[in-house]
PDB file of all heavy atoms in Angstrom:
ATOM      1  N   THR N 241     117.922 117.832 102.197  1.00  0.00           N
ATOM      2  CA  THR N 241     117.000 117.388 101.147  1.00  0.00           C
ATOM      3  C   THR N 241     117.777 117.158  99.855  1.00  0.00           C
ATOM      4  O   THR N 241     118.929 117.567  99.726  1.00  0.00           O
ATOM      5  CB  THR N 241     115.895 118.445 100.900  1.00  0.00           C
ATOM      6  OG1 THR N 241     116.532 119.673 100.509  1.00  0.00           O
ATOM      7  CG2 THR N 241     115.032 118.663 102.106  1.00  0.00           C
ATOM      8  N   SER N 242     117.105 116.535  98.892  1.00  0.00           N
ATOM      9  CA  SER N 242     117.797 116.128  97.661  1.00  0.00           C
ATOM     10  C   SER N 242     118.320 117.289  96.841  1.00  0.00           C
ATOM     11  O   SER N 242     119.219 117.105  96.033  1.00  0.00           O
ATOM     12  CB  SER N 242     116.845 115.363  96.739  1.00  0.00           C
ATOM     13  OG  SER N 242     116.230 114.358  97.421  1.00  0.00           O
ATOM     14  N   GLY N 243     117.745 118.455  96.983  1.00  0.00           N
ATOM     15  CA  GLY N 243     118.204 119.612  96.190  1.00  0.00           C
ATOM     16  C   GLY N 243     117.701 119.550  94.770  1.00  0.00           C
ATOM     17  O   GLY N 243     118.331 120.051  93.849  1.00  0.00           O
ATOM     18  N   THR N 244     116.526 118.942  94.564  1.00  0.00           N
ATOM     19  CA  THR N 244     115.966 118.877  93.208  1.00  0.00           C
ATOM     20  C   THR N 244     115.549 120.280  92.766  1.00  0.00           C
ATOM     21  O   THR N 244     115.619 120.627  91.598  1.00  0.00           O
ATOM     22  CB  THR N 244     114.736 117.952  93.194  1.00  0.00           C
ATOM     23  OG1 THR N 244     115.125 116.727  93.794  1.00  0.00           O
ATOM     24  CG2 THR N 244     114.272 117.695  91.787  1.00  0.00           C
ATOM     25  N   THR N 245     115.075 121.104  93.693  1.00  0.00           N
ATOM     26  CA  THR N 245     114.588 122.440  93.312  1.00  0.00           C
ATOM     27  C   THR N 245     115.532 123.559  93.714  1.00  0.00           C
ATOM     28  O   THR N 245     115.302 124.678  93.344  1.00  0.00           O
ATOM     29  CB  THR N 245     113.206 122.687  93.965  1.00  0.00           C
ATOM     30  OG1 THR N 245     113.296 122.363  95.345  1.00  0.00           O
ATOM     31  CG2 THR N 245     112.136 121.839  93.334  1.00  0.00           C
ATOM     32  N   GLY N 246     116.562 123.301  94.450  1.00  0.00           N
ATOM     33  CA  GLY N 246     117.439 124.382  94.835  1.00  0.00           C
ATOM     34  C   GLY N 246     118.436 123.962  95.897  1.00  0.00           C
ATOM     35  O   GLY N 246     118.802 122.816  95.979  1.00  0.00           O
ATOM     36  N   LYS N 249     118.184 121.813 102.147  1.00  0.00           N
ATOM     37  CA  LYS N 249     117.857 122.366 103.467  1.00  0.00           C
ATOM     38  C   LYS N 249     118.198 121.315 104.511  1.00  0.00           C
ATOM     39  O   LYS N 249     117.913 120.129 104.347  1.00  0.00           O
ATOM     40  CB  LYS N 249     116.366 122.690 103.532  1.00  0.00           C
ATOM     41  CG  LYS N 249     115.930 123.695 102.482  1.00  0.00           C
ATOM     42  CD  LYS N 249     114.418 123.874 102.386  1.00  0.00           C
ATOM     43  CE  LYS N 249     113.726 122.939 101.421  1.00  0.00           C
ATOM     44  NZ  LYS N 249     113.804 123.149 100.022  1.00  0.00           N
ATOM     45  N   GLY N 364     109.117 108.238  96.655  1.00  0.00           N
ATOM     46  CA  GLY N 364     110.170 109.143  96.237  1.00  0.00           C
ATOM     47  C   GLY N 364     109.869 109.949  94.996  1.00  0.00           C
ATOM     48  O   GLY N 364     110.409 111.001  94.792  1.00  0.00           O
ATOM     49  N   GLU N 365     108.986 109.427  94.150  1.00  0.00           N
ATOM     50  CA  GLU N 365     108.647 110.151  92.916  1.00  0.00           C
ATOM     51  C   GLU N 365     107.338 109.568  92.440  1.00  0.00           C
ATOM     52  O   GLU N 365     106.878 108.534  92.929  1.00  0.00           O
ATOM     53  CB  GLU N 365     109.702 109.999  91.858  1.00  0.00           C
ATOM     54  CG  GLU N 365     110.734 108.984  92.167  1.00  0.00           C
ATOM     55  CD  GLU N 365     111.237 108.202  90.997  1.00  0.00           C
ATOM     56  OE1 GLU N 365     111.081 108.589  89.859  1.00  0.00           O
ATOM     57  OE2 GLU N 365     111.802 107.143  91.273  1.00  0.00           O
ATOM     58  N   PRO N 366     106.733 110.211  91.451  1.00  0.00           N
ATOM     59  CA  PRO N 366     105.457 109.705  90.947  1.00  0.00           C
ATOM     60  C   PRO N 366     105.592 108.273  90.486  1.00  0.00           C
ATOM     61  O   PRO N 366     106.569 107.922  89.804  1.00  0.00           O
ATOM     62  CB  PRO N 366     105.162 110.638  89.775  1.00  0.00           C
ATOM     63  CG  PRO N 366     105.918 111.864  90.045  1.00  0.00           C
ATOM     64  CD  PRO N 366     107.140 111.470  90.780  1.00  0.00           C
ATOM     65  N   ASP N 385     101.869 102.767  96.724  1.00  0.00           N
ATOM     66  CA  ASP N 385     102.514 104.044  96.451  1.00  0.00           C
ATOM     67  C   ASP N 385     102.541 104.839  97.755  1.00  0.00           C
ATOM     68  O   ASP N 385     101.574 104.820  98.515  1.00  0.00           O
ATOM     69  CB  ASP N 385     101.698 104.770  95.370  1.00  0.00           C
ATOM     70  CG  ASP N 385     102.347 106.039  94.878  1.00  0.00           C
ATOM     71  OD1 ASP N 385     103.412 106.413  95.391  1.00  0.00           O
ATOM     72  OD2 ASP N 385     101.750 106.669  93.988  1.00  0.00           O
ATOM     73  N   ASN N 386     103.664 105.487  98.013  1.00  0.00           N
ATOM     74  CA  ASN N 386     103.915 106.135  99.286  1.00  0.00           C
ATOM     75  C   ASN N 386     104.405 107.547  98.994  1.00  0.00           C
ATOM     76  O   ASN N 386     105.451 107.690  98.398  1.00  0.00           O
ATOM     77  CB  ASN N 386     105.044 105.349  99.945  1.00  0.00           C
ATOM     78  CG  ASN N 386     104.762 104.996 101.374  1.00  0.00           C
ATOM     79  OD1 ASN N 386     105.588 105.257 102.209  1.00  0.00           O
ATOM     80  ND2 ASN N 386     103.612 104.455 101.626  1.00  0.00           N
ATOM     81  N   TYR N 387     103.690 108.527  99.502  1.00  0.00           N
ATOM     82  CA  TYR N 387     104.145 109.893  99.268  1.00  0.00           C
ATOM     83  C   TYR N 387     104.826 110.441 100.513  1.00  0.00           C
ATOM     84  O   TYR N 387     104.267 110.392 101.613  1.00  0.00           O
ATOM     85  CB  TYR N 387     102.939 110.787  98.918  1.00  0.00           C
ATOM     86  CG  TYR N 387     103.292 112.265  98.901  1.00  0.00           C
ATOM     87  CD1 TYR N 387     103.846 112.863  97.784  1.00  0.00           C
ATOM     88  CD2 TYR N 387     103.035 113.064 100.009  1.00  0.00           C
ATOM     89  CE1 TYR N 387     104.160 114.213  97.778  1.00  0.00           C
ATOM     90  CE2 TYR N 387     103.334 114.418 100.026  1.00  0.00           C
ATOM     91  CZ  TYR N 387     103.898 114.975  98.905  1.00  0.00           C
ATOM     92  OH  TYR N 387     104.195 116.302  98.915  1.00  0.00           O
ATOM     93  N   TRP N 388     105.979 110.988 100.323  1.00  0.00           N
ATOM     94  CA  TRP N 388     106.889 111.417 101.382  1.00  0.00           C
ATOM     95  C   TRP N 388     107.629 112.661 100.975  1.00  0.00           C
ATOM     96  O   TRP N 388     107.815 112.911  99.828  1.00  0.00           O
ATOM     97  CB  TRP N 388     108.040 110.466 101.421  1.00  0.00           C
ATOM     98  CG  TRP N 388     107.971 109.220 102.100  1.00  0.00           C
ATOM     99  CD1 TRP N 388     107.132 108.198 101.888  1.00  0.00           C
ATOM    100  CD2 TRP N 388     108.894 108.850 103.112  1.00  0.00           C
ATOM    101  NE1 TRP N 388     107.507 107.174 102.693  1.00  0.00           N
ATOM    102  CE2 TRP N 388     108.579 107.545 103.442  1.00  0.00           C
ATOM    103  CE3 TRP N 388     109.979 109.487 103.752  1.00  0.00           C
ATOM    104  CZ2 TRP N 388     109.306 106.834 104.414  1.00  0.00           C
ATOM    105  CZ3 TRP N 388     110.677 108.799 104.685  1.00  0.00           C
ATOM    106  CH2 TRP N 388     110.327 107.488 105.019  1.00  0.00           C
ATOM    107  N   GLN N 389     108.196 113.252 101.977  1.00  0.00           N
ATOM    108  CA  GLN N 389     109.281 114.240 101.721  1.00  0.00           C
ATOM    109  C   GLN N 389     110.343 113.967 102.779  1.00  0.00           C
ATOM    110  O   GLN N 389     110.036 113.427 103.844  1.00  0.00           O
ATOM    111  CB  GLN N 389     108.756 115.648 101.905  1.00  0.00           C
ATOM    112  CG  GLN N 389     107.605 115.985 100.936  1.00  0.00           C
ATOM    113  CD  GLN N 389     107.195 117.448 101.032  1.00  0.00           C
ATOM    114  OE1 GLN N 389     106.985 117.976 102.105  1.00  0.00           O
ATOM    115  NE2 GLN N 389     107.058 118.070  99.874  1.00  0.00           N
ATOM    116  N   THR N 390     111.559 114.361 102.485  1.00  0.00           N
ATOM    117  CA  THR N 390     112.609 114.264 103.492  1.00  0.00           C
ATOM    118  C   THR N 390     112.119 114.914 104.781  1.00  0.00           C
ATOM    119  O   THR N 390     112.329 114.440 105.872  1.00  0.00           O
ATOM    120  CB  THR N 390     113.889 114.977 103.000  1.00  0.00           C
ATOM    121  OG1 THR N 390     114.282 114.387 101.752  1.00  0.00           O
ATOM    122  CG2 THR N 390     115.016 114.858 104.009  1.00  0.00           C
ATOM    123  N   GLU N 391     111.395 116.021 104.581  1.00  0.00           N
ATOM    124  CA  GLU N 391     110.891 116.800 105.708  1.00  0.00           C
ATOM    125  C   GLU N 391     109.950 115.979 106.599  1.00  0.00           C
ATOM    126  O   GLU N 391     109.945 116.140 107.815  1.00  0.00           O
ATOM    127  CB  GLU N 391     110.117 118.014 105.193  1.00  0.00           C
ATOM    128  CG  GLU N 391     110.996 119.105 104.563  1.00  0.00           C
ATOM    129  CD  GLU N 391     111.231 118.842 103.061  1.00  0.00           C
ATOM    130  OE1 GLU N 391     110.983 117.716 102.592  1.00  0.00           O
ATOM    131  OE2 GLU N 391     111.683 119.788 102.372  1.00  0.00           O
ATOM    132  N   SER N 477     103.579 121.783 100.842  1.00  0.00           N
ATOM    133  CA  SER N 477     104.398 120.685 100.341  1.00  0.00           C
ATOM    134  C   SER N 477     105.105 121.088  99.056  1.00  0.00           C
ATOM    135  O   SER N 477     106.002 120.424  98.588  1.00  0.00           O
ATOM    136  CB  SER N 477     103.509 119.482 100.054  1.00  0.00           C
ATOM    137  OG  SER N 477     102.691 119.762  98.944  1.00  0.00           O
ATOM    138  N   ASP N 479     103.840 120.761  96.302  1.00  0.00           N
ATOM    139  CA  ASP N 479     103.408 119.781  95.287  1.00  0.00           C
ATOM    140  C   ASP N 479     101.937 120.057  94.968  1.00  0.00           C
ATOM    141  O   ASP N 479     101.158 120.430  95.846  1.00  0.00           O
ATOM    142  CB  ASP N 479     103.557 118.352  95.803  1.00  0.00           C
ATOM    143  CG  ASP N 479     104.987 117.868  95.802  1.00  0.00           C
ATOM    144  OD1 ASP N 479     105.691 118.089  94.815  1.00  0.00           O
ATOM    145  OD2 ASP N 479     105.404 117.244  96.809  1.00  0.00           O
ATOM    146  N   ILE N 491      99.026 112.984  93.384  1.00  0.00           N
ATOM    147  CA  ILE N 491     100.060 114.032  93.329  1.00  0.00           C
ATOM    148  C   ILE N 491     100.288 114.382  91.858  1.00  0.00           C
ATOM    149  O   ILE N 491     100.539 113.507  91.041  1.00  0.00           O
ATOM    150  CB  ILE N 491     101.368 113.538  93.966  1.00  0.00           C
ATOM    151  CG1 ILE N 491     101.139 113.064  95.398  1.00  0.00           C
ATOM    152  CG2 ILE N 491     102.436 114.618  93.923  1.00  0.00           C
ATOM    153  CD1 ILE N 491     100.698 114.126  96.374  1.00  0.00           C
ATOM    154  N   ARG N 494     105.366 119.020  91.055  1.00  0.00           N
ATOM    155  CA  ARG N 494     105.818 120.111  91.913  1.00  0.00           C
ATOM    156  C   ARG N 494     105.228 121.442  91.441  1.00  0.00           C
ATOM    157  O   ARG N 494     105.041 121.657  90.267  1.00  0.00           O
ATOM    158  CB  ARG N 494     107.321 120.187  91.882  1.00  0.00           C
ATOM    159  CG  ARG N 494     107.965 118.930  92.475  1.00  0.00           C
ATOM    160  CD  ARG N 494     109.428 118.911  92.110  1.00  0.00           C
ATOM    161  NE  ARG N 494     109.988 117.636  92.518  1.00  0.00           N
ATOM    162  CZ  ARG N 494     110.704 117.446  93.636  1.00  0.00           C
ATOM    163  NH1 ARG N 494     110.917 118.465  94.428  1.00  0.00           N
ATOM    164  NH2 ARG N 494     111.159 116.250  93.934  1.00  0.00           N
ATOM    165  N   LYS N 589     115.758 111.250  91.092  1.00  0.00           N
ATOM    166  CA  LYS N 589     114.684 112.158  90.694  1.00  0.00           C
ATOM    167  C   LYS N 589     115.054 112.930  89.433  1.00  0.00           C
ATOM    168  O   LYS N 589     116.205 113.372  89.296  1.00  0.00           O
ATOM    169  CB  LYS N 589     114.390 113.165  91.824  1.00  0.00           C
ATOM    170  CG  LYS N 589     113.813 112.511  93.056  1.00  0.00           C
ATOM    171  CD  LYS N 589     113.889 113.497  94.193  1.00  0.00           C
ATOM    172  CE  LYS N 589     113.571 112.838  95.500  1.00  0.00           C
ATOM    173  NZ  LYS N 589     112.148 112.591  95.674  1.00  0.00           N
TER     174      LYS N 589
HETATM  175  P1  ATP F   1     114.414 119.636  97.396  1.00  0.00           P
HETATM  176  O1  ATP F   1     113.276 119.819  98.346  1.00  0.00           O
HETATM  177  O2  ATP F   1     115.750 119.917  98.015  1.00  0.00           O
HETATM  178  O3  ATP F   1     114.219 120.357  96.104  1.00  0.00           O
HETATM  179  P2  ATP F   1     113.321 117.012  96.849  1.00  0.00           P
HETATM  180  O4  ATP F   1     111.995 117.631  97.085  1.00  0.00           O
HETATM  181  O5  ATP F   1     113.528 116.237  95.585  1.00  0.00           O
HETATM  182  O6  ATP F   1     114.494 118.092  96.993  1.00  0.00           O
HETATM  183  P3  ATP F   1     112.848 114.862  98.696  1.00  0.00           P
HETATM  184  O7  ATP F   1     112.406 115.285 100.027  1.00  0.00           O
HETATM  185  O8  ATP F   1     113.753 113.691  98.599  1.00  0.00           O
HETATM  186  O9  ATP F   1     113.675 116.034  98.057  1.00  0.00           O
HETATM  187  O10 ATP F   1     111.612 114.530  97.757  1.00  0.00           O
HETATM  188  C1  ATP F   1     110.283 114.798  98.118  1.00  0.00           C
HETATM  189  C2  ATP F   1     109.463 115.063  96.856  1.00  0.00           C
HETATM  190  O11 ATP F   1     109.446 113.883  96.013  1.00  0.00           O
HETATM  191  C3  ATP F   1     108.010 115.365  97.079  1.00  0.00           C
HETATM  192  O12 ATP F   1     107.789 116.709  97.452  1.00  0.00           O
HETATM  193  C4  ATP F   1     107.390 114.984  95.739  1.00  0.00           C
HETATM  194  O13 ATP F   1     107.563 115.997  94.808  1.00  0.00           O
HETATM  195  C5  ATP F   1     108.203 113.775  95.321  1.00  0.00           C
HETATM  196  N1  ATP F   1     107.525 112.513  95.749  1.00  0.00           N
HETATM  197  C6  ATP F   1     107.857 111.691  96.775  1.00  0.00           C
HETATM  198  N2  ATP F   1     107.043 110.621  96.813  1.00  0.00           N
HETATM  199  C7  ATP F   1     106.156 110.748  95.815  1.00  0.00           C
HETATM  200  C8  ATP F   1     105.046 109.949  95.340  1.00  0.00           C
HETATM  201  N3  ATP F   1     104.710 108.796  95.909  1.00  0.00           N
HETATM  202  N4  ATP F   1     104.353 110.416  94.274  1.00  0.00           N
HETATM  203  C9  ATP F   1     104.680 111.598  93.692  1.00  0.00           C
HETATM  204  N5  ATP F   1     105.717 112.361  94.047  1.00  0.00           N
HETATM  205  C10 ATP F   1     106.453 111.954  95.123  1.00  0.00           C
END
Side-chain angles (χ1 to χ4, degrees):
T241 59
S242 309
T244 309
T245 49
K249 301 170 272 284
E365 10 144 18
D385 187 357
N386 227 231
Y387 170 84
W388 277 61
Q389 300 186 312
T390 302
E391 290 86 345
S477 69
D479 284 316
I491 304 295
R494 296 166 187 260
K589 293 167 191 284

